Amino acid sequence: MPIVYSFENGDALSSGLNSFVERVSREAIADHGFLSVAISGGSLPKILSKELAFNKNVDFSKWHLFWADERCVGHDHADSNYLEVKKSLLNHIPQIPQENIYPIHEEYAISKDAEKAAIDYEQQLEKFFKNKLPSFDLLLLGMGPDGHCCSLFPGHPLLEEKTRWVAPIVDSPKPPPERITLTYPVVNNSKLVVFVTAGDGKKDMVQQIIEQPEKDLPCQRVKPVNGHVYWFIDHAAAAKLRKESCSEYKL
């Protein structure tokens, strides 16, 4: 079962997430000298960055930042997950070396060649993880209104992908249709997965994911082999959960 932390409002949620990421970063750097983190798009970067972007206790110079999924658009396009993370987080954290930031190959993205973009991104992962199945220290994910995560959508064939680490998608039910995404072999080899979502509009889907495992939604398939899953949500998103489904957040 995932561990669910519910916070009174958005500010409290950002604060809790900030302290959690600070601890994970510190422990990873102490253990092996860096933090490998993959991040999704949506509202997540804004929630994450509210305090973290100004946290002086985090050694960002040791961070390696990847994307859990990306749209095949230019880096300056409104749909770009990279752009959202850049505006919310990277613009405020010059300590992360440019060579430690791993966006989608822009040429392939602009030409909407999802296949080439996926192959290139998998090669970036191979290089960093030395040809071993990637094991991110931290995977930060959002939750779509249909229960999707990364660009892994309900009923899509990519849910069954077993061999590729990064897969192309050209028929996303949400625009833009061309994307790349991490697959479950990588997602479920992460050491820590943290879902972040907020708002009254998420309460029905959050309840289904946490308390109705028989639904078999994409978010429910996130079950790290040797890791843990956490949910950081606000009280509005947690409104339909039973009290016993939530844990008290303690550092």
Side-chain angles (χ1 to χ4, degrees):
M1 276 288 290
I3 297 168
V4 181
Y5 296 130
S6 176
F7 298 85
E8 185 173 354
N9 52 42
D11 286 345
L13 170 57
S14 291
S15 181
L17 189 58
N18 170 62
S19 59
F20 185 87
V21 172
E22 179 187 324
R23 178 171 61 85
V24 172
S25 175
R26 184 172 60 248
E27 290 176 354
I29 292 168
D31 180 64
H32 49 266
F34 62 86
L35 176 82
S36 60
V37 56
I39 187 170
S40 219
S43 59
L44 168 60
K46 282 192 179 75
I47 298 171
L48 174 69
S49 63
K50 195 160 192 177
E51 289 194 19
L52 184 68
F54 310 98
N55 189 333
K56 303 300 183 190
N57 296 321
V58 177
D59 185 357
F60 288 110
S61 70
K62 303 289 200 305
W63 276 41
H64 288 263
L65 182 62
F66 295 82
W67 274 260
D69 69 317
E70 183 56 284
R71 290 84 177 266
C72 286
V73 294
H75 291 169
D76 57 353
H77 193 283
D79 288 333
S80 167
N81 286 342
Y82 167 80
L83 179 63
E84 194 56 51
V85 174
K86 184 175 185 293
K87 287 192 302 186
S88 301
L89 204 63
L90 298 179
N91 284 351
H92 307 286
I93 308 174
Q95 301 95 315
I96 301 181
Q98 195 61 41
E99 62 269 22
N100 290 10
I101 300 168
Y102 306 85
I104 190 173
H105 192 299
E106 192 171 23
E107 181 187 339
Y108 301 149
I110 290 173
S111 64
K112 303 197 180 305
D113 194 333
E115 176 66 32
K116 278 187 179 175
I119 290 170
D120 175 81
Y121 212 72
E122 188 162 311
Q123 288 171 346
Q124 292 191 55
L125 292 179
E126 287 173 352
K127 185 176 179 183
F128 181 78
F129 288 100
K130 298 179 170 53
N131 294 315
K132 294 178 181 173
L133 181 65
S135 180
F136 286 104
D137 295 311
L138 179 62
L139 181 56
L140 292 160
L141 300 178
M143 179 207 78
D146 58 355
H148 84 265
C149 58
C150 302
S151 282
L152 299 165
F153 294 95
H156 196 279
L158 277 185
L159 299 183
E160 308 306 327
E161 177 60 52
K162 299 288 195 295
T163 55
R164 297 185 75 156
W165 296 355
V166 182
I169 177 169
V170 295
D171 56 354
S172 165
K174 282 185 68 179
E178 299 90 359
R179 302 163 174 235
I180 64 171
T181 182
L182 296 182
T183 60
Y184 283 115
V186 174
V187 169
N188 286 330
N189 202 43
S190 301
K191 295 167 188 167
L192 276 176
V193 179
V194 177
F195 283 97
V196 181
T197 197
D200 181 73
K202 300 297 183 74
K203 64 187 179 186
D204 292 311
M205 185 52 67
V206 166
Q207 193 275 330
Q208 288 181 46
I209 290 167
I210 302 301
E211 296 181 350
Q212 300 180 49
E214 70 280 0
K215 291 280 187 181
D216 192 30
L217 292 157
C219 286
Q220 292 173 315
R221 293 190 178 205
V222 177
K223 297 174 180 176
V225 180
N226 299 305
H228 301 281
V229 177
Y230 294 87
W231 283 76
F232 278 69
I233 60 179
D234 64 359
H235 285 354
K240 288 200 168 183
L241 291 177
R242 297 191 298 264
K243 190 176 180 182
E244 58 267 26
S245 292
C246 297
S247 302
E248 184 185 354
Y249 180 67
K250 293 177 183 175
L251 256 185

